[in-house]
Amino acid sequence: MALLDILEFPDPRLRTKARAVAPEQIDDAFQALVDNMFETMYAAPGVGLAATQVDVHKRFMVIDVSEGKDHPLVFVNPEIVDKQGSQVYQEGCLSVPGIYADVERADAVTVRALDRHGQPFELTADGLLAVCIQHEIDHLDGKVFIDYLSPLKREMVRKRLAKAQRERARSAA
């Protein structure tokens, strides 16, 4: 397995809308990519990673919100078919390192998807899992959680990230 590079905001590739995964694309190479995405997500550390974040513009994501990192979930071509309630949750993102902000999302969602082997399933989730599903689907649609912030806060985030990137570049030189 291998760690993948995670794109960081404001990289324009994060705005690419992912294309559906065709059944014939769920092959050995796809399985290896899924394994690499889990390894990357756990190492980051994070609880979710969309293919878009690793510059693969296919519609799938990996999630594991379990304490023991032992309940990996793969969602291929996910589609939210029902939303209920609303909650405000402080979100962070591997593509927006070090930034956290309150985002309002549905409290519970029902999602239809294929698993990593192409088998269809439906799952109803609430709490952190529901937030994570919505957050990662946003990535597949070319959205980043800071899109929910005011323009002023978004610009502050952009400047803070640019400064952090410059500092990392200086220390690596």
Side-chain angles (χ1 to χ4, degrees):
M1 290 196 285
L3 291 179
L4 305 170
D5 290 330
I6 298 173
L7 301 177
E8 290 187 10
F9 180 83
D11 192 309
R13 294 171 290 179
L14 288 169
R15 299 301 185 178
T16 303
K17 188 167 174 139
R19 293 187 179 150
V21 176
E24 63 272 10
Q25 293 177 308
I26 300 177
D27 56 11
D28 290 344
F30 178 82
Q31 300 304 327
L33 178 57
V34 167
D35 290 340
N36 290 338
M37 285 179 60
F38 273 117
E39 183 177 1
T40 301
M41 179 189 76
Y42 290 137
V47 295
L49 188 64
T52 301
Q53 292 177 272
V54 294
D55 202 21
V56 175
H57 303 287
K58 296 180 181 177
R59 197 163 182 82
F60 73 97
M61 59 199 195
V62 300
I63 293 176
D64 188 346
V65 298
S66 67
E67 289 283 326
K69 302 299 180 204
D70 56 1
H71 194 66
L73 299 169
V74 177
F75 298 81
V76 179
N77 301 332
E79 174 188 6
I80 293 176
V81 295
D82 188 42
K83 292 182 178 185
Q84 295 182 355
S86 139
Q87 67 175 329
V88 174
Y89 202 90
Q90 188 171 69
E91 294 186 27
C93 180
L94 298 177
S95 291
V96 190
I99 305 295
Y100 299 90
D102 289 342
V103 177
E104 185 174 349
R105 298 206 185 257
D107 186 44
V109 296
T110 300
V111 62
R112 278 192 199 129
L114 303 176
D115 68 14
R116 73 180 295 161
H117 303 291
Q119 298 302 307
F121 71 96
E122 188 169 291
L123 173 73
T124 298
D126 60 8
L128 178 58
L129 182 55
V131 168
C132 194
I133 288 169
Q134 293 168 87
H135 178 109
E136 300 309 331
I137 287 176
D138 274 354
H139 277 300
L140 299 176
D141 292 335
K143 286 183 80 174
V144 182
F145 87 99
I146 62 170
D147 294 344
Y148 293 93
L149 304 179
S150 71
L152 178 62
K153 286 184 180 177
R154 211 170 25 252
E155 181 61 16
M156 288 171 49
V157 166
R158 189 192 64 70
K159 287 179 179 177
R160 186 169 159 196
L161 289 172
K163 180 180 178 187
Q165 287 170 346
R166 285 191 306 272
E167 288 173 359
R168 280 197 308 264
R170 267 196 297 265
S171 66

